[in-house]
Amino acid sequence: MTYKDCWYNSVCSKYNTRECSSMCIRYTEMLNMMKYSGIPKNLYGTQSLYLPNVDIEAYTILLNIKDNIKDFVQNGNNLYIFSKVTGNGKTTWGIKLLQSYFNSVWLGNGLRLRGFFIPTQAFLLDKKNAISGNTSEDSKLFSVTDSFGHNLLTTKNLINCDIIVWDDFLLNNISPYDYANIFAIIDQRYLNGKTNIFTAGGSLEELDNVYGSCISSRIAMNCTVVEFKAIDYRAMTLKRNAEGQGAGLNG
């Protein structure tokens, strides 16, 4: 019997065997980590990416990090993925690496919070709404709750979890309140040797212009910087899928 609802079947050796069912321990452990990470449900599992020739070097670096993700996180390394254009895989790679880390630590994990995927702008807008008293779940752009409805995006959890993917981290501008929220978390994670993966629309130099050196210097510490140079191939991927063309990169 095969558990067809499992998004994990493309990388699981037990798929399509007698052991494949909704009672699978690996599925349960992974599902808990995924649900409590903030990764959108439609992005669970393997995402196919096209490999543009111009980004072969960048992909090689990222695949090496992916294959050694547990050591990368244990060493408290950071990763900064940026590009001047949109739609060329930055977010997908951030999620891919986060899921790879979950896959490396799932055994016996239980309900331990390992990492978060955070859309930066939505996170900060929710913080602003909170100070005006608008804290209902329906009003939030982004929320992560446990099975009892308790908020998991507490300062303690954000500081202490193993890894955070900060998506679209480079904003056009940042208010003093935004800065205070970001700095408090980044600074404590830096001091505690916790891993961060940033996706951004500009370089570390541009990040410094927005956030200042106090934040950018902490991000740059023990940081691998990867630039994507390909054009926006999100639309290209949709076109190729419709035409049944192209070779994908999975995993």
Side-chain angles (χ1 to χ4, degrees):
M1 177 179 177
T2 296
Y3 186 55
K4 296 180 180 180
D5 290 337
C6 179
W7 77 93
Y8 205 51
N9 55 43
S10 63
V11 294
C12 182
S13 61
K14 295 182 179 180
Y15 178 63
N16 228 8
T17 71
R18 291 183 178 181
E19 298 177 80
C20 184
S21 74
S22 59
M23 301 300 291
C24 173
I25 295 175
R26 186 176 190 177
Y27 170 79
T28 302
E29 296 277 26
M30 282 294 294
L31 182 61
N32 283 332
M33 284 191 284
M34 299 291 284
K35 286 197 306 184
Y36 300 147
S37 71
I39 296 175
K41 190 172 183 179
N42 66 313
L43 296 180
Y44 285 11
T46 301
Q47 301 294 316
S48 181
L49 282 168
Y50 285 95
L51 174 54
N53 289 334
V54 70
D55 285 335
I56 287 177
E57 182 179 354
Y59 274 50
T60 301
I61 294 171
L62 292 172
L63 283 170
N64 182 63
I65 292 174
K66 176 177 175 289
D67 290 342
N68 299 279
I69 190 66
K70 192 172 183 179
D71 289 338
F72 189 85
V73 173
Q74 287 179 345
N75 290 331
N77 294 319
N78 290 324
L79 174 64
Y80 189 84
I81 308 172
F82 79 97
S83 178
K84 300 291 185 179
V85 297
T86 61
N88 56 6
K90 298 184 296 295
T91 297
T92 301
W93 264 108
I95 292 174
K96 186 185 291 289
L97 293 169
L98 181 58
Q99 291 184 129
S100 292
Y101 180 65
F102 291 165
N103 186 48
S104 74
V105 296
W106 68 267
L107 184 60
N109 186 75
L111 298 178
R112 179 179 174 185
L113 293 174
R114 291 287 191 165
F116 291 110
F117 171 81
I118 296 181
T120 307
Q121 188 163 28
F123 173 75
L124 291 174
L125 285 172
D126 285 339
K127 286 283 188 180
K128 287 179 180 177
N129 287 336
I131 63 173
S132 63
N134 193 1
T135 59
S136 69
E137 287 300 315
D138 289 340
S139 70
K140 291 182 179 179
L141 296 171
F142 170 71
S143 65
V144 183
T145 59
D146 63 17
S147 56
F148 299 101
H150 299 141
N151 174 40
L152 296 179
L153 294 174
T154 64
T155 301
K156 181 179 179 180
N157 288 340
L158 290 169
I159 288 173
N160 292 322
C161 71
D162 297 346
I163 178 173
I164 292 179
V165 175
W166 300 91
D167 191 43
D168 284 333
F169 189 73
L170 181 56
L171 307 177
N172 293 327
N173 53 66
I174 187 167
S175 70
Y177 182 75
D178 292 336
Y179 178 88
N181 276 295
I182 288 292
F183 180 76
I185 297 168
I186 296 296
D187 182 51
Q188 288 300 308
R189 290 185 62 77
Y190 162 74
L191 293 174
N192 293 336
K194 299 296 185 178
T195 290
N196 300 281
I197 295 175
F198 304 91
T199 72
S203 66
L204 278 175
E205 290 75 17
E206 293 171 271
L207 186 80
D208 183 80
N209 291 335
V210 174
Y211 286 97
S213 60
C214 287
I215 287 180
S216 63
S217 63
R218 285 161 173 77
I219 291 173
M221 188 66 65
N222 297 325
C223 186
T224 299
V225 179
V226 173
E227 180 182 5
F228 286 167
K229 300 177 181 178
I231 61 172
D232 182 346
Y233 62 83
R234 186 179 293 143
M236 181 182 71
T237 299
L238 292 173
K239 180 179 179 181
R240 286 185 175 178
N241 286 343
E243 296 173 351
Q245 300 174 8
L249 175 69
N250 298 308

XYZ file of all heavy atoms in Angstrom, residues 82-135:
426
model
N 21.607 36.064 -3.578
C 21.012 37.290 -4.111
C 21.021 37.300 -5.632
O 21.751 36.561 -6.276
C 21.723 38.526 -3.555
C 23.039 38.861 -4.220
C 23.104 39.817 -5.233
C 24.213 38.236 -3.823
C 24.311 40.133 -5.836
C 25.429 38.557 -4.416
C 25.480 39.510 -5.429
N 20.172 38.168 -6.169
C 20.101 38.352 -7.609
C 19.460 39.693 -7.887
O 18.617 40.164 -7.122
C 19.296 37.239 -8.272
O 19.205 37.456 -9.668
N 19.854 40.293 -8.997
C 19.278 41.576 -9.405
C 17.898 41.397 -10.025
O 17.173 42.375 -10.204
C 20.197 42.261 -10.413
C 21.596 42.562 -9.891
C 21.574 43.644 -8.831
C 23.000 44.015 -8.416
N 22.992 45.090 -7.389
N 17.550 40.153 -10.378
C 16.251 39.896 -11.005
C 15.459 38.920 -10.156
O 16.002 38.229 -9.295
C 16.425 39.326 -12.440
C 17.105 40.325 -13.340
C 17.206 38.018 -12.408
N 14.166 38.858 -10.407
C 13.288 37.959 -9.661
C 13.065 36.675 -10.447
O 13.394 36.577 -11.631
C 11.927 38.621 -9.395
O 11.295 38.914 -10.656
C 12.105 39.916 -8.611
N 12.502 35.681 -9.776
C 12.039 34.494 -10.454
C 13.097 33.522 -10.915
O 12.851 32.717 -11.813
N 14.291 33.561 -10.298
C 15.330 32.624 -10.740
C 15.798 31.658 -9.649
O 16.905 31.149 -9.705
C 16.525 33.369 -11.355
C 17.129 34.405 -10.425
O 16.736 34.514 -9.268
N 18.080 35.178 -10.937
N 14.930 31.410 -8.660
C 15.171 30.283 -7.774
C 15.685 30.569 -6.381
O 15.987 29.638 -5.633
N 15.781 31.818 -5.988
C 16.335 32.130 -4.670
C 15.484 31.535 -3.550
O 16.004 30.854 -2.655
C 16.454 33.659 -4.490
C 17.379 34.344 -5.472
C 17.525 35.818 -5.174
C 16.244 36.598 -5.328
N 15.740 36.622 -6.727
N 14.187 31.797 -3.583
C 13.294 31.286 -2.545
C 13.240 29.762 -2.560
O 13.271 29.117 -1.512
C 11.879 31.862 -2.729
O 11.923 33.282 -2.573
C 10.915 31.272 -1.710
N 13.165 29.203 -3.759
C 13.118 27.744 -3.878
C 14.358 27.109 -3.263
O 14.267 26.086 -2.571
C 12.991 27.331 -5.354
O 11.800 27.900 -5.895
C 12.929 25.817 -5.492
N 15.519 27.700 -3.499
C 16.746 27.167 -2.916
C 16.747 27.306 -1.393
O 17.213 26.421 -0.676
C 17.976 27.845 -3.519
C 18.571 27.057 -4.635
C 18.543 27.344 -5.963
C 19.276 25.815 -4.509
N 19.185 26.366 -6.676
C 19.646 25.415 -5.814
C 19.628 25.001 -3.435
C 20.353 24.243 -6.063
C 20.329 23.833 -3.687
C 20.685 23.453 -4.977
N 16.244 28.416 -0.874
C 16.163 28.572 0.572
C 15.323 27.482 1.209
O 15.711 26.869 2.217
N 14.148 27.212 0.619
C 13.271 26.157 1.129
C 13.907 24.790 0.949
O 13.822 23.919 1.833
C 11.902 26.224 0.432
C 11.164 27.506 0.854
C 11.053 24.998 0.765
C 9.866 27.743 0.112
N 14.556 24.569 -0.180
C 15.211 23.290 -0.448
C 16.257 22.983 0.624
O 16.354 21.864 1.129
C 15.874 23.338 -1.829
C 16.466 22.024 -2.310
C 17.212 22.226 -3.624
C 16.286 22.544 -4.759
N 15.461 21.375 -5.188
N 17.038 23.975 1.006
C 18.083 23.773 2.017
C 17.479 23.567 3.405
O 17.976 22.759 4.190
C 19.045 24.955 2.013
C 19.899 25.085 0.746
C 20.621 26.431 0.717
C 20.921 23.957 0.662
N 16.413 24.292 3.712
C 15.750 24.119 4.998
C 15.180 22.707 5.118
O 15.339 22.034 6.146
C 14.645 25.162 5.157
C 13.853 25.152 6.471
C 14.781 25.328 7.668
C 12.789 26.247 6.454
N 14.523 22.234 4.057
C 13.975 20.882 4.076
C 15.081 19.831 4.146
O 14.915 18.784 4.778
C 13.113 20.651 2.834
C 11.828 21.457 2.847
C 10.928 21.147 1.662
O 9.746 20.869 1.851
N 11.447 21.196 0.453
N 16.205 20.108 3.502
C 17.329 19.171 3.561
C 17.846 19.053 4.990
O 18.230 17.962 5.437
C 18.461 19.631 2.629
O 18.079 19.531 1.290
N 17.857 20.174 5.705
C 18.278 20.109 7.105
C 17.285 19.288 7.917
O 17.689 18.431 8.723
C 18.422 21.499 7.708
C 18.854 21.435 9.159
C 20.100 20.919 9.510
C 17.997 21.820 10.182
C 20.489 20.806 10.837
C 18.376 21.723 11.506
C 19.628 21.210 11.825
O 20.005 21.089 13.144
N 16.001 19.509 7.715
C 14.992 18.704 8.412
C 15.209 17.221 8.126
O 15.107 16.378 9.026
C 13.592 19.111 7.970
C 13.150 20.477 8.410
C 12.050 21.086 7.827
C 13.824 21.166 9.401
C 11.628 22.337 8.230
C 13.421 22.429 9.820
C 12.311 23.015 9.227
N 15.499 16.911 6.886
C 15.712 15.519 6.493
C 16.919 14.901 7.195
O 16.978 13.690 7.393
C 15.895 15.435 4.973
C 15.985 14.011 4.473
O 15.173 13.168 4.837
N 16.980 13.731 3.653
N 17.874 15.741 7.596
C 19.084 15.227 8.250
C 18.910 15.023 9.750
O 19.745 14.373 10.388
C 20.260 16.181 7.998
O 20.148 17.371 8.763
N 17.837 15.576 10.325
C 17.669 15.511 11.788
C 16.303 14.968 12.207
O 15.932 15.070 13.380
C 17.879 16.907 12.432
C 19.298 17.395 12.222
C 16.869 17.929 11.895
N 15.541 14.390 11.267
C 14.165 14.010 11.580
C 14.058 12.912 12.628
O 13.108 12.894 13.416
C 13.433 13.562 10.312
C 13.935 12.263 9.736
C 14.894 12.116 8.778
C 13.522 10.946 10.094
N 15.104 10.788 8.501
C 14.271 10.042 9.302
C 12.597 10.420 10.994
C 14.125 8.655 9.399
C 12.449 9.046 11.085
C 13.207 8.178 10.291
N 15.015 11.980 12.661
C 14.900 10.809 13.528
C 14.877 11.215 14.999
O 15.824 11.807 15.511
C 16.056 9.843 13.267
C 16.010 8.516 14.040
C 14.748 7.738 13.689
C 17.252 7.680 13.748
N 13.774 10.917 15.675
C 13.650 11.227 17.096
C 13.447 12.694 17.402
O 13.599 13.113 18.551
N 13.069 13.488 16.405
C 12.953 14.930 16.635
C 11.757 15.304 17.497
O 11.815 16.246 18.276
C 12.858 15.668 15.301
C 12.872 17.166 15.488
O 13.909 17.751 15.771
N 11.731 17.810 15.341
N 10.660 14.569 17.349
C 9.470 14.909 18.119
C 8.922 16.263 17.727
O 8.808 16.585 16.550
N 8.606 17.107 18.707
C 8.034 18.426 18.453
C 9.057 19.541 18.567
O 8.695 20.721 18.631
C 6.872 18.680 19.421
C 5.687 17.722 19.298
C 4.637 18.047 20.347
C 5.081 17.780 17.904
N 10.315 19.205 18.585
C 11.361 20.227 18.684
C 11.352 21.138 17.463
O 11.294 20.682 16.331
C 12.725 19.559 18.806
C 13.886 20.538 18.897
C 15.201 19.812 19.052
N 16.323 20.721 18.999
C 17.599 20.350 19.013
N 17.896 19.057 19.093
N 18.558 21.243 18.955
N 11.378 22.448 17.705
C 11.397 23.421 16.612
C 12.822 23.544 16.074
O 13.731 23.944 16.788
C 10.914 24.781 17.109
C 9.445 24.865 17.510
C 9.137 26.222 18.127
C 8.541 24.609 16.324
N 12.993 23.206 14.815
C 14.326 23.207 14.214
C 14.612 24.445 13.373
O 15.757 24.880 13.286
C 14.496 21.958 13.339
C 14.572 20.666 14.123
C 15.901 20.550 14.829
N 16.085 19.207 15.373
C 17.258 18.733 15.781
N 18.334 19.482 15.703
N 17.344 17.517 16.287
N 13.586 24.970 12.704
C 13.846 26.105 11.829
C 12.579 26.741 11.324
O 11.477 26.172 11.411
N 12.733 27.951 10.754
C 11.603 28.704 10.220
C 11.914 29.215 8.824
O 13.065 29.508 8.496
C 11.283 29.919 11.106
C 10.712 29.590 12.449
C 11.454 29.800 13.598
C 9.428 29.085 12.572
C 10.938 29.505 14.851
C 8.896 28.793 13.829
C 9.652 29.007 14.963
N 10.866 29.331 8.031
C 10.903 30.074 6.775
C 10.110 31.343 7.009
O 8.912 31.292 7.296
C 10.282 29.257 5.640
C 10.086 30.044 4.372
C 11.151 30.246 3.504
C 8.852 30.586 4.064
C 10.981 30.981 2.332
C 8.666 31.326 2.897
C 9.738 31.519 2.033
N 10.766 32.501 6.876
C 10.119 33.762 7.226
C 10.122 34.731 6.044
O 11.188 35.164 5.597
C 10.825 34.430 8.427
C 10.671 33.543 9.660
C 10.260 35.824 8.685
C 11.299 34.109 10.906
N 8.937 35.078 5.506
C 8.844 36.162 4.521
C 9.034 37.485 5.259
O 8.165 37.895 6.036
C 7.434 36.005 3.949
C 6.674 35.258 4.995
C 7.646 34.454 5.792
N 10.156 38.125 5.061
C 10.586 39.218 5.933
C 9.582 40.356 6.014
O 9.257 40.837 7.109
C 11.946 39.758 5.458
O 12.866 38.674 5.346
C 12.487 40.777 6.444
N 9.086 40.815 4.878
C 8.199 41.971 4.900
C 6.892 41.664 5.629
O 6.415 42.481 6.430
C 7.911 42.449 3.483
C 7.152 43.779 3.446
C 7.233 44.454 2.100
O 7.376 43.798 1.084
N 7.124 45.769 2.078
N 6.318 40.497 5.380
C 5.081 40.123 6.070
C 5.309 40.013 7.574
O 4.470 40.435 8.381
C 4.559 38.794 5.520
N 6.460 39.455 7.953
C 6.812 39.322 9.368
C 6.871 40.686 10.054
O 6.320 40.883 11.144
C 8.156 38.606 9.470
C 8.746 38.542 10.851
C 8.239 37.668 11.799
C 9.823 39.347 11.198
C 8.781 37.608 13.077
C 10.380 39.286 12.464
C 9.858 38.419 13.405
N 7.504 41.657 9.404
C 7.651 42.984 9.999
C 6.328 43.746 10.019
O 6.045 44.483 10.973
C 8.712 43.774 9.247
C 10.154 43.273 9.429
C 11.116 44.035 8.533
C 10.598 43.382 10.889
N 5.501 43.571 8.992
C 4.189 44.224 8.988
C 3.311 43.700 10.115
O 2.576 44.463 10.753
C 3.502 44.020 7.640
C 4.031 44.866 6.479
C 3.404 44.427 5.165
C 3.769 46.351 6.727
N 3.394 42.401 10.373
C 2.642 41.826 11.490
C 3.134 42.371 12.827
O 2.340 42.576 13.753
C 2.753 40.301 11.471
C 1.905 39.667 10.384
O 0.955 40.320 9.910
O 2.181 38.511 10.000
N 4.440 42.591 12.930
C 4.996 43.182 14.149
C 4.418 44.584 14.375
O 4.068 44.955 15.507
C 6.517 43.258 14.051
C 7.243 41.942 14.207
C 7.302 41.525 15.670
C 8.174 40.328 15.889
N 8.219 39.920 17.312
N 4.310 45.354 13.296
C 3.751 46.708 13.409
C 2.280 46.659 13.799
O 1.812 47.467 14.622
C 3.921 47.448 12.077
C 5.352 47.869 11.779
C 5.424 48.579 10.438
C 6.852 49.008 10.146
N 6.985 49.635 8.807
N 1.541 45.732 13.205
C 0.122 45.611 13.554
C -0.058 45.245 15.022
O -1.022 45.668 15.669
C -0.547 44.555 12.671
C -0.757 45.027 11.249
O -0.824 46.230 10.994
N -0.844 44.096 10.313
N 0.869 44.463 15.535
C 0.764 44.004 16.927
C 0.839 45.167 17.908
O 0.153 45.163 18.931
C 1.853 42.986 17.230
N 1.669 46.166 17.616
C 1.799 47.285 18.557
C 0.570 48.181 18.536
O 0.361 48.975 19.456
C 3.069 48.126 18.291
C 3.010 48.784 16.909
C 4.318 47.295 18.454
C 4.160 49.750 16.664
N -0.260 48.050 17.501
C -1.513 48.815 17.461
C -2.673 48.001 18.015
O -3.818 48.430 17.965
C -1.819 49.257 16.024
O -2.020 48.136 15.192
N -2.349 46.804 18.531
C -3.358 45.974 19.169
C -4.070 45.021 18.231
O -4.984 44.299 18.655
N -3.678 44.989 16.972
C -4.321 44.117 15.992
C -3.557 42.795 15.938
O -2.662 42.602 15.125
C -4.321 44.788 14.621
C -5.247 44.094 13.645
O -5.912 43.129 13.989
N -5.278 44.586 12.416
N -3.914 41.864 16.822
C -3.144 40.619 16.973
C -3.929 39.362 16.607
O -3.443 38.262 16.812
C -2.652 40.481 18.427
O -3.780 40.477 19.311
C -1.716 41.611 18.800
